[in-house]
Amino acid sequence: MKNYGLTWTDAAGTPRASVVAYDQPSADRKKQQLEDGGCTDVEIRPVKLGERLEPRG
C-alpha cells in the first residue's frame, strides 16, 4: 500500500503538514475537507512509512 501525506496553507496563512499517513482514498477525502474549510495550496504527496512532511514555507 502506498502512503500519502498532505501539505496546505490554513485560513490564517500558516503553512501546515499532516503528521499521519493516509491511503489514497483517505488522502482525497482529507484534501476535500481542508479545501472546504478554507485552506489553500492543498497538496497530496507520497511518503514512506514513518516519514514526516515539513510544511512548505
Side-chain angles (χ1 to χ4, degrees), residues 6 23-34 44:
L6 290 101
D23 61 10
Q24 185 68 57
S26 297
D28 291 337
R29 280 192 300 274
K30 185 64 176 177
K31 179 180 182 192
Q32 188 62 56
Q33 289 172 346
L34 290 167
I44 297 173

Side-chain angles (χ1 to χ4, degrees), residues 1-41:
M1 175 174 80
K2 287 190 173 189
N3 295 293
Y4 300 90
L6 290 101
T7 58
W8 68 94
T9 302
D10 69 17
T14 304
R16 305 283 184 179
S18 59
V19 295
V20 299
Y22 299 94
D23 61 10
Q24 185 68 57
S26 297
D28 291 337
R29 280 192 300 274
K30 185 64 176 177
K31 179 180 182 192
Q32 188 62 56
Q33 289 172 346
L34 290 167
E35 290 173 338
D36 290 348
C39 298
T40 58
D41 301 321

